[in-house]
Amino acid sequence: MAFSMLQLFLLGALGPRLVDELDISPTVLGLTTTIGFGTAAVLSPAGGRIVDRVGPRRALAALLLLSAVALALIGAAPGAGFLLAAVALGGLPQALANPATNKAILASVEPARRGAVTGMKQSGVQLGAFAAGLPLAALAGWLGWRGAVWTAAGAAVVTAAWALRTLPQDAPARTGAPPASLVPRGTIAWLAGFSLLLGCGIASVNTYLALYGAHRLGLGPGAAGALVAVLGVSGVVGRVAWSRAATPGRAEWLPGLLAAGAVGAALLLAGAAALSALVWPGAVAVGVFAVSANAVSMVLVMQRAAPGRAGQDSALVSAGFFAGFALGPPLFGLLASAGHYGWGWTLVTAEFAAAGAVALAWAVRERGREGGAGCVKDPVPPAGRPSSAGGP
């Protein structure tokens, strides 16, 4: 999970260096996120089918090798066009990441531990943010930004070899199975909509937080990169903690609660323009609330996925999240290029608030269905329903 999105965290953390060396604008920097996540959003439904067919071990090895190739090409980029093409290739491993890892958990982890394991797994994304914002950003000061990116590519190759050696063998590839629907329905549709709005806000923070710190708040490149690392560490803690708390009956309310916390985080980032110290608690709050909400969404998918559809349902929710990541940064980038960071943070606040409204409406709907005469939450009994309140 860390490697699936490492390229985009690196582009955010190394943004000030890339803007200066490659002579690209903040708008072009935002386009890297749009292209990477746009590719992932388009390919996610197909990625879910592939994972359901070939198994998680093969899919995880493929995504790690694809990540290595994309990172190597980013490190070789002579200009904006090559950089954007390399980022597009990096959308392929993103499309495979959630379906493959969720399938691996369902296949090898007992139901009572799946919530905690899912939170730890999802925290890998923020581990990537930490790696980009601190050790790799520091390495860039020594080897240059290209050397730091190539180091990450080599680490992805090593991890691919580890995955092939360590993960259990996949079942024989499925053939002749009827194709699953590419249209999200029921709970999956609500979670996809929530994830789209959430992704818009998170992506803007990921892409522009370091640049905001450097250009508006007067932070040096190292301190600006450390903001991304702080976001990463708080996201790891938040994802693990909130996923453990996402037991059936409670999990349905958590997305709305976390979105409300994300609204407060965005307001702190906006307030940093007047009091720069607020940027640090703002970064922590984004990790604890906004970033963690996506992990809770994945727990809900695994609790409610129909038999044999965990990969496909994970992919459909991920597609919504990736679409948000594609849409959010260009809008923020237009405002940032004009120097209007305040309006940019207002936009992020509105995106988080809209996500919270969707989550609350869904939770109320679910509670109403539970209150009906013995209604179940989904028309098809979900796989891996927990037998106790200890986890999904």
Side-chain angles (χ1 to χ4, degrees), residues 345-360:
W345 298 126
T346 300
L347 175 62
V348 170
T349 302
E351 290 161 349
F352 287 151
V358 170
L360 179 61

Side-chain angles (χ1 to χ4, degrees), residues 6-204:
L6 183 58
Q7 59 160 353
L8 296 176
F9 286 123
L10 275 171
L11 291 171
L14 302 178
R17 290 183 169 90
L18 268 69
V19 166
D20 293 339
E21 184 172 329
L22 297 183
D23 194 25
I24 60 177
S25 69
T27 301
V28 171
L29 185 64
L31 280 176
T32 61
T33 300
T34 299
I35 289 176
F37 280 100
T39 303
V42 170
L43 295 179
S44 279
R49 285 183 175 180
I50 290 170
V51 173
D52 280 337
R53 182 173 300 169
V54 306
R57 179 175 178 269
R58 298 183 187 98
L60 284 168
L63 81 84
L64 287 162
L65 292 174
L66 286 168
S67 295
V69 173
L71 287 165
L73 293 174
I74 288 170
F82 194 101
L83 177 67
L84 294 176
V87 169
L89 176 63
L92 294 172
Q94 290 173 242
L96 296 171
N98 274 313
T101 52
N102 286 353
K103 288 279 284 190
I105 289 172
L106 287 172
S108 58
V109 178
E110 63 271 21
R113 294 186 59 242
R114 286 177 187 160
V117 174
T118 300
M120 186 64 69
K121 182 265 291 190
Q122 292 295 124
S123 73
V125 175
Q126 301 317 119
L127 177 63
F130 173 79
L134 198 59
L136 289 173
L139 188 63
W142 178 40
L143 296 179
W145 72 266
R146 296 182 191 275
V149 175
W150 285 331
T151 299
V157 173
V158 172
T159 308
W162 169 85
L164 287 172
R165 184 181 181 87
T166 304
L167 294 175
Q169 291 290 330
D170 292 319
R174 293 168 51 200
T175 58
S181 172
L182 297 180
V183 179
R185 304 178 188 279
T187 293
I188 301 305
W190 283 93
L191 289 175
F194 168 75
S195 297
L196 187 150
L197 293 164
L198 186 74
C200 284
I202 294 175
S204 296

Side-chain angles (χ1 to χ4, degrees), residues 244-353:
R244 284 180 178 270
T247 54
R250 182 189 295 168
E252 292 81 2
W253 298 100
L254 287 182
L257 172 66
L258 295 176
V263 169
L267 292 175
L268 285 173
L269 294 178
L275 181 61
S276 61
L278 291 177
V279 74
W280 298 100
V284 170
V286 170
V288 169
F289 295 108
V291 171
S292 301
N294 178 246
V296 172
S297 295
M298 287 295 110
V299 173
L300 283 164
V301 170
M302 294 171 66
Q303 288 176 354
R304 292 159 178 268
R309 277 187 54 93
Q312 183 69 7
D313 286 351
S314 298
L316 292 174
V317 174
S318 295
F321 193 59
F322 294 153
F325 266 66
L327 293 172
L331 299 175
F332 194 106
L334 291 174
L335 297 170
S337 295
H340 300 312
Y341 276 101
W343 284 109
W345 298 126
T346 300
L347 175 62
V348 170
T349 302
E351 290 161 349
F352 287 151

